[in-house]
Amino acid sequence: MSLTLSSWIIFKNLLIFTAAFMLFTVIGTISHEYGHIIPAQIAGYDTTLHFGSMSTDQSALIKELDTIYAHHTYEIENDLPYEQQEKFDKLMQKLYSDSFWITIGGPLSTILTGCVGLLILINRRKSIRKFGMKFMDWLAVFLSLFWLREVFNLLHAVGYTVIYGGDNYFGGDEMYISEYYFLHPGVVPIILALIGAGVGIFVICNIMPRKFRTEFILSGIIGGPVGFYLWFEILGPILIP
């Protein structure tokens, strides 16, 4: 009877954790995209949310730049002074600056969410050891593991290049942030992935009670990919095309 009850508890935990990983895969994706959307809207652009991305309408700014360029192509290409040079330079600076903040907004949103979860867990560490995991603690665990998106992004980029070929093992927002600062494309992706891995190991091995670890890790292995597939291949395209 004891063995049966114990097995049922393990199975129940496995189901709950798996469902939570599936849910937070979707939540993490959408919140990441809103991290891009918020700075875009602050900058005055219209935006559209999609199931795995967002789009920004910068057409008005680009059209204005194109108009000036068309009238002063020779001067711009030969670095000569021209009538609308100051305006053109300011618009170009705005385009680059806005694009940077829109790009960094996604990872920043994910990282800040992960840091909030981690701080809650560190603050409640003694309580967890004394009274066990409460709902707020589990919520903080999943929030802290938003950091694992950085690990996934790096592994996904490397895996894609290995399988399908290519000469660039990095991608996504993190790569563009590296390039913005004239760094090697892998600097930011690798640093953030290492921090993300460290956070994940710390939370699972130092915060979470030992009795939950096996089911939790197994649930992550199952729930993360299943949630990713269901959202990106089935539900997402229907709900937020």
Side-chain angles (χ1 to χ4, degrees):
M1 181 68 180
S2 175
L3 180 60
T4 303
L5 180 60
S6 176
S7 299
W8 165 247
I9 292 173
I10 292 174
F11 180 70
K12 183 185 73 171
N13 288 340
L14 190 64
L15 287 178
I16 293 173
F17 292 152
T18 300
F21 270 107
M22 293 168 63
L23 176 63
F24 275 91
T25 297
V26 177
I27 294 173
T29 298
I30 294 176
S31 66
H32 176 90
E33 298 309 326
Y34 269 105
H36 292 302
I37 288 173
I38 291 172
Q41 292 187 343
I42 290 174
Y45 303 113
D46 291 330
T47 61
T48 304
L49 174 66
H50 307 288
F51 63 90
S53 64
M54 56 79 67
S55 56
T56 305
D57 184 6
Q58 295 178 301
S59 58
L61 176 58
I62 293 172
K63 183 178 180 180
E64 194 170 2
L65 284 166
D66 287 343
T67 300
I68 298 175
Y69 183 83
H71 284 86
H72 302 282
T73 305
Y74 180 81
E75 292 87 347
I76 293 172
E77 292 184 351
N78 291 277
D79 198 24
L80 298 173
Y82 55 96
E83 184 180 349
Q84 295 179 295
Q85 183 172 4
E86 184 177 352
K87 181 179 180 181
F88 185 82
D89 290 343
K90 286 182 178 180
L91 290 175
M92 283 297 297
Q93 185 178 1
K94 175 176 172 56
L95 179 63
Y96 284 128
S97 177
D98 291 348
S99 297
F100 171 73
W101 286 109
I102 293 169
T103 300
I104 202 174
L108 193 59
S109 170
T110 299
I111 289 169
L112 287 176
T113 302
C115 288
V116 168
L118 182 61
L119 289 174
I120 292 173
L121 289 173
I122 292 174
N123 186 57
R124 291 180 56 83
R125 193 173 183 180
K126 291 182 179 180
S127 174
I128 292 171
R129 288 178 175 176
K130 187 174 182 179
F131 302 108
M133 297 284 290
K134 306 300 180 183
F135 176 80
M136 176 59 70
D137 303 318
W138 284 117
L139 178 61
V141 164
F142 281 98
L143 292 179
S144 70
L145 294 184
F146 273 41
W147 266 105
L148 292 184
R149 181 185 178 93
E150 301 302 329
V151 179
F152 171 81
N153 285 349
L154 178 61
L155 294 178
H156 180 267
V158 172
Y160 187 90
T161 301
V162 169
I163 294 172
Y164 297 102
D167 55 2
N168 188 1
Y169 289 89
F170 309 101
D173 302 323
E174 294 79 7
M175 181 191 73
Y176 294 124
I177 295 169
S178 285
E179 292 177 341
Y180 182 88
Y181 286 109
F182 303 102
L183 301 171
H184 184 279
V187 170
V188 173
I190 290 174
I191 290 175
L192 292 181
L194 289 174
I195 296 173
V199 170
I201 292 170
F202 175 77
V203 169
I204 294 173
C205 296
N206 291 278
I207 300 292
M208 186 180 300
R210 185 185 299 272
K211 64 180 181 179
F212 294 116
R213 291 175 191 169
T214 301
E215 301 102 284
F216 189 83
I217 293 172
L218 183 58
S219 298
I221 295 172
I222 297 171
V226 171
F228 184 89
Y229 176 81
L230 288 176
W231 180 250
F232 280 88
E233 299 297 330
I234 300 176
L235 296 177
I238 295 174
L239 298 175
I240 317 177

